[in-house]
Amino acid sequence: WRTFWSAHQNFFRQLAISAKVPVLVKNIKEKVDSGKYCVVIGLQTTGEMSTLQYLSQKPARAEMKALVSVCRQIVLGFLNRHFPTHLEQPKVNVSDLTSQITRIRDALVNTRLQRQSYAQFIGNSLHIHNQEQIKTIIEYHDERILSMEREMEELERSRAHAQDIQQQLAQKKDEKVVHPECVRYKKAFITRVKELNLPPTALDDLIDKLGGTGNVAEMTGRRVRVVRKRARQVVNSASIDNSQSSFFTIEPRAE
């Protein structure tokens, strides 16, 4: 769960940052157009790791249809690395489940016998008050019987599932056993994530909306960024020179 919540928090942090870009761009353009201000922007994160993971799957300087979305890459990375698709040894012990089933079955038999004895006694009792008390006791036993039956059914399903997994793993000792249903769910989740309308990486989106690298002097430590190559929706990955001379001579020349 630690990995899940880490990805969860990272996703919504990036989403919150990206959601601020449109309003930020509007405010920046108003200040710059006034001719009185030079705007400096600070970001908590550049999203470089997710961008690198995405670009590692593409040829160098490959053309893409849109800017990279860090939010999307976080979810896809989590699904690809942590969504289980292979059977593993069950964490529950089959013998322990059998012992629990036996214990509940014995308790169920005793409860049914007690319930039966109370039902017989109510027919022999002439006192109305005693009959009402016995009815209450019988109702209590009925609830216990129903609860134990449900618990035993659940344990029997768990035992059957564990036995089935152990049998499959025993047949293929040196091979990983793929779970078809898990594979199907994983593919469905990945397809759905790719279809989501998620915002681009905040830093790349900010630079793009402000007119590109010619208008924005980026002074970060990231090694690569995604920039627009032409006016249409095609972007291209470009490496960044992070040497000291780049920070203080090349980048600040942006007009």
Side-chain angles (χ1 to χ4, degrees):
W1 285 107
R2 183 183 304 173
T3 304
F4 169 79
W5 287 117
S6 176
H8 177 278
Q9 292 175 358
N10 196 14
F11 172 85
F12 281 103
R13 181 182 63 173
Q14 294 290 349
L15 187 65
I17 294 173
S18 298
K20 298 176 182 180
V21 171
V23 175
L24 181 60
V25 169
K26 179 182 177 182
N27 292 337
I28 291 172
K29 287 183 176 180
E30 290 177 355
K31 299 298 182 182
V32 172
D33 291 342
S34 69
K36 299 179 181 179
Y37 301 94
C38 177
V39 181
V40 178
I41 306 163
L43 288 174
Q44 293 180 339
T45 175
T46 63
E48 180 188 23
M49 185 59 67
S50 296
T51 302
L52 285 173
Q53 289 174 355
Y54 177 81
L55 295 178
S56 66
Q57 305 169 10
K58 304 285 183 181
R61 295 186 176 275
E63 293 186 353
M64 296 168 287
K65 295 182 179 179
L67 294 169
V68 178
S69 171
V70 174
C71 295
R72 193 187 321 279
Q73 291 307 119
I74 290 171
V75 181
L76 290 176
F78 176 80
L79 290 174
N80 285 321
R81 289 191 298 270
H82 301 290
F83 194 94
T85 55
H86 296 85
L87 294 179
E88 298 179 355
Q89 284 289 351
K91 296 180 180 180
V92 294
N93 189 293
V94 175
S95 60
D96 290 342
L97 290 174
T98 302
S99 299
Q100 292 181 52
I101 291 171
T102 302
R103 177 178 56 79
I104 294 174
R105 184 182 288 115
D106 292 341
L108 184 59
V109 171
N110 292 331
T111 305
R112 283 172 175 166
L113 290 175
Q114 291 176 7
R115 197 262 184 209
Q116 184 178 358
S117 63
Y118 280 114
Q120 293 174 349
F121 182 74
I122 196 172
N124 300 326
S125 178
L126 299 178
H127 201 287
I128 297 177
H129 180 67
N130 289 342
Q131 289 183 355
E132 293 299 324
Q133 286 183 331
I134 295 173
K135 286 181 180 179
T136 302
I137 296 174
I138 290 175
E139 290 176 357
Y140 167 74
H141 279 73
D142 288 339
E143 292 177 359
R144 282 196 62 196
I145 290 171
L146 183 60
S147 176
M148 284 189 288
E149 286 176 343
R150 290 175 177 172
E151 185 178 359
M152 192 166 66
E153 288 175 0
E154 183 65 29
L155 288 171
E156 287 176 343
R157 282 195 296 267
S158 298
R159 182 177 63 176
H161 179 65
Q163 289 173 335
D164 180 57
I165 292 177
Q166 287 183 341
Q167 184 178 3
Q168 292 185 53
L169 292 174
Q171 293 173 354
K172 299 182 179 181
K173 294 182 179 180
D174 300 327
E175 299 179 21
K176 289 185 176 181
V177 182
V178 177
H179 196 294
E181 189 172 358
C182 288
V183 173
R184 180 170 59 85
Y185 276 119
K186 182 176 181 177
K187 289 181 178 179
F189 283 136
I190 290 176
T191 300
R192 183 71 183 96
V193 172
K194 289 181 178 180
E195 293 173 348
L196 292 175
N197 184 23
L198 293 171
T201 303
L203 181 53
D204 288 332
D205 193 28
L206 191 61
I207 293 173
D208 185 59
K209 284 182 167 62
L210 291 173
T213 54
N215 293 337
V216 180
E218 178 184 344
M219 301 176 67
T220 66
R222 65 176 181 166
R223 291 161 289 174
V224 67
R225 62 186 170 196
V226 178
V227 297
R228 190 174 299 280
K229 188 176 181 181
R230 291 182 287 272
R232 57 192 178 92
Q233 289 296 320
V234 178
V235 292
N236 185 47
S237 62
S239 60
I240 300 176
D241 181 5
N242 281 321
S243 62
Q244 187 175 8
S245 60
S246 170
F247 282 134
F248 296 104
T249 60
I250 299 175
E251 289 290 354
R253 292 176 188 172
E255 297 177 357

